[in-house]
Amino acid sequence: MHLKIEDTRLSTLLNSVVVGGLIGLIVSIFRLTIEKLLIFFQQLYQNFSTDWQWIVLLNLILAVGVGFLVKTTPDISGSGIPQIEGQLSGEYEEQWWPVLWKKFVGGILAIGSGLMLGREGPSIQLGAAVGQGWSETLRYRGSQRRVLIAGGAAAGLSAAFNAPIASTLFVLEEIYHNFSTLVWISALTSAVVANFISLTFFGLTPVLAIVYPHALPLNSYWHLLVLGILLGLFGRLYQICTLKLKTWYGKIKFLPRWLDSLVPFILIIPVGWGWPAYLGGGNTLITTIAAQNPVFVTLLILLGIRFVFSMVSYGSGLPGGIFLPILTLGAVSGALYVSIMAHWGLIDARYLPNFVIYAMAGYFASIGKAPFTAILLITEMVGSLQHLMPLAVVALVAYIVLDLLGGEPIYESLLHQLVPDILAEPQGRQERVEVFVKEGSQFDGAAVRNAQWPAHSLLISIQRGPRAIVPSGDTVIKAGDTLVVTLQHGNRKYVEEYIKQRAEVPG
């Protein structure tokens, strides 16, 4: 029996290694260039009294230049994560080459100039573009193509943050929504290879190397509950504001949409003049806060500036993400919490670095509704397992609070703004989805003929342990089965959600 190499897991691994290596190199250069450019701008702002004319002129040129890139290729707007989620669900398509080079150039200019945007979203989109380009080179379609795109996205985030495990989980939990073995292998392999390349550029020191010599005692764990509640409330506020940015920017009638870039580039000038250290995505700022323990007033001003300008920057549609700005806001919130509690004598100020770490995880867990990713991401970025238990407490509490407030995952909500209507009519090429059946769901114990199936779909196989069953009308579906359903590409999102609702346990 002869197997085509493209049908084997070995082929997937080899392709993942190639994709991971390419992405590791591209994103490392992307990240390094941003860091160097940001240092240049911070030094430029320190000489504001003598160089202000050049700063204003340079910002205007950058605003028009990056805005024009977005105008010619709207797919590079924002973080890029909603676009990738839509691409993997069949709701959205983009051309990989224009996205790759324009996101690379536009992201460097927007983030490196000091705007409060993150590099992680662009890194994910850059990675997905490389994965898409490689799959098109090999003429892959359907699931093979999606696996490489998902693996590329994981590699991009891994190279940006040096967190391969969390990057893999983020793509599976937040973007791809599929935990099949093949996807895991591809994403993890690409992420590990990309991380290795990135480490050769930046060394083995964790991205957020925060020193905290004192573990939080158990009798202070009630603070974690309070902090989690506050972060859940603050996270919901962030979600609401982020989702209204498009409407707010729409009220600027005297500028075409592509020149909304002028707003953040002009408004950032007084911030750079007064607080040049506040500029950029915020990773250096996070470690500085943890090490220096700023006073209450400084933290309050910093929180206000970072919140407002992350909104102003992201809402303009410039290439840049909210991932790192979210972590920065979480870090400032955690430090502010300790500052207040220490003033009231309810906690020792020496635990401030601890709460900076906890709050980053809690704030991201609430806004992204991805607690597992948040816990693993901060653990890898900080480079220590000692804080795992308090991280989990804060992340889960913040997640529950936001869920009770009706919040949805931010990237999925942004995707719905990008693609307002989920396609309900089939179109395009054939694909398939795999859905796991949980105990107590509508499918559990139901015969195939009696189960409710969406239109324009066909159940072709039931994976039960190591066996693949060809179903008939009398075949009984059991908990633990994986249903393999064919559908058409343009109908993927609708059919997948329909089947998952019936394969999940109600409530």
Side-chain angles (χ1 to χ4, degrees):
M1 179 178 179
H2 297 284
L3 292 176
K4 293 182 179 180
I5 189 169
E6 60 264 27
D7 295 332
T8 66
R9 291 189 179 181
L10 176 60
S11 172
T12 300
L13 286 171
L14 293 175
N15 285 324
S16 300
V17 169
V18 173
V19 169
L22 291 172
I23 295 167
L25 181 62
I26 292 170
V27 173
S28 294
I29 296 173
F30 179 73
R31 176 178 161 186
L32 184 63
T33 309
I34 287 174
E35 291 181 1
K36 299 298 183 183
L37 186 60
L38 181 58
I39 293 172
F40 168 77
F41 267 89
Q42 287 174 333
Q43 292 174 344
L44 196 62
Y45 277 111
Q46 289 172 0
N47 300 319
F48 185 85
S49 59
T50 56
D51 296 335
W52 68 270
Q53 301 98 326
W54 294 109
I55 293 174
V56 173
L57 179 61
L58 184 56
N59 276 23
L60 291 175
I61 293 173
L62 288 174
V64 175
V66 181
F68 183 75
L69 289 177
V70 175
K71 178 185 178 182
T72 55
T73 306
D75 293 333
I76 70 170
S77 175
S79 71
I81 296 176
Q83 289 93 316
I84 303 308
E85 185 172 354
Q87 195 174 19
L88 291 173
S89 67
E91 296 179 75
Y92 192 88
E93 272 302 331
E94 63 184 28
Q95 295 181 322
W96 71 272
W97 174 244
V99 167
L100 180 62
W101 80 262
K102 291 183 181 180
K103 191 79 170 192
F104 184 88
V105 174
I108 288 173
L109 297 178
I111 304 169
S113 62
L115 298 186
M116 296 180 190
L117 296 166
R119 63 174 183 253
E120 70 302 316
S123 298
I124 290 173
Q125 192 172 23
L126 290 173
V130 172
Q132 180 182 344
W134 186 251
S135 67
E136 290 183 9
T137 301
L138 299 176
R139 298 184 179 180
Y140 285 172
R141 303 184 70 180
S143 60
Q144 288 179 309
R145 178 176 181 267
R146 288 197 307 275
V147 165
L148 283 180
I149 292 174
L157 182 57
S158 177
F161 279 162
N162 297 126
I165 308 300
S167 300
T168 302
L169 185 59
F170 175 76
V171 168
L172 299 178
E173 183 181 22
E174 184 70 13
I175 298 179
Y176 196 66
H177 309 295
N178 188 319
F179 288 80
S180 73
T181 304
L182 195 61
V183 180
W184 259 110
I185 290 173
S186 175
L188 183 58
T189 302
S190 295
V192 169
V193 173
N195 181 59
F196 179 81
I197 301 296
S198 179
L199 290 175
T200 63
F201 276 79
F202 302 100
L204 297 174
T205 303
V207 175
L208 299 177
I210 298 175
V211 179
Y212 58 106
H214 307 287
L216 187 70
L218 290 176
N219 60 9
S220 295
Y221 265 49
W222 64 271
H223 285 289
L224 303 178
L225 302 178
V226 178
L227 179 63
I229 292 171
L230 293 175
L231 291 173
L233 296 172
F234 191 34
R236 184 58 181 143
L237 174 64
Y238 186 95
Q239 284 190 337
I240 292 171
C241 292
T242 301
L243 295 175
K244 288 185 176 181
L245 289 173
K246 190 175 181 180
T247 302
W248 292 342
Y249 263 94
K251 297 182 183 296
I252 305 176
K253 303 296 184 181
F254 61 90
L255 285 176
R257 173 60 177 162
W258 70 277
L259 282 179
D260 283 346
S261 55
L262 287 168
V263 176
F265 270 105
I266 292 173
L267 293 181
I268 201 68
I269 293 174
V271 178
W273 173 43
W275 303 277
Y278 290 7
L279 299 177
N283 55 300
T284 303
L285 190 60
I286 292 171
T287 54
T288 301
I289 292 170
Q292 296 183 359
N293 193 355
V295 297
F296 170 80
V297 175
T298 300
L299 290 170
L300 191 61
I301 293 173
L302 179 57
L303 183 67
I305 290 176
R306 294 292 310 188
F307 187 88
V308 171
F309 276 90
S310 66
M311 296 291 169
V312 172
S313 300
Y314 187 77
S316 66
L318 289 168
I322 57 175
F323 206 120
L324 188 54
I326 286 173
L327 297 183
T328 306
L329 284 171
V332 177
S333 301
L336 192 60
Y337 177 85
V338 173
S339 179
I340 294 171
M341 290 296 175
H343 178 73
W344 291 342
L346 296 175
I347 197 172
D348 195 319
R350 66 181 179 174
Y351 295 119
L352 184 140
N354 303 52
F355 278 78
V356 165
I357 296 170
Y358 308 155
M360 283 193 290
Y363 200 48
F364 180 79
S366 66
I367 294 173
K369 293 197 77 173
F372 289 111
T373 298
I375 294 166
L376 278 179
L377 179 70
I378 302 304
T379 297
E380 286 191 282
M381 290 178 72
V382 174
S384 172
L385 293 172
Q386 296 180 19
H387 52 255
L388 204 53
M389 179 62 181
L391 268 186
V393 173
V394 175
L396 287 173
V397 172
Y399 171 87
I400 291 170
V401 169
L402 187 122
D403 193 59
L404 292 174
L405 294 173
E408 296 294 334
I410 188 63
Y411 294 113
E412 185 174 328
S413 300
L414 291 170
L415 171 61
H416 292 162
Q417 285 190 343
L418 189 69
V419 186
D421 301 316
I422 295 177
L423 299 173
E425 292 300 324
Q427 60 181 17
R429 60 180 182 271
Q430 290 288 319
E431 293 192 9
R432 73 179 195 175
V433 296
E434 298 179 3
V435 178
F436 182 77
V437 178
K438 294 186 177 180
E439 187 172 356
S441 66
Q442 293 182 30
F443 280 145
D444 184 15
V448 170
R449 72 172 72 255
N450 297 327
Q452 297 180 14
W453 302 99
H456 312 296
S457 67
L458 176 66
L459 176 68
I460 61 170
S461 177
I462 299 177
Q463 190 71 35
R464 183 170 295 166
R467 294 188 300 142
I469 300 172
V470 178
S472 66
D474 295 325
T475 303
V476 176
I477 301 171
K478 298 181 179 180
D481 288 347
T482 298
L483 309 179
V484 182
V485 181
T486 61
L487 47 94
Q488 289 182 293
H489 176 72
N491 208 31
R492 177 181 173 83
K493 183 71 172 180
Y494 166 74
V495 171
E496 189 171 21
E497 288 187 350
Y498 187 101
I499 296 175
K500 279 185 175 181
Q501 287 177 359
R502 285 153 181 79
E504 298 278 345
V505 180

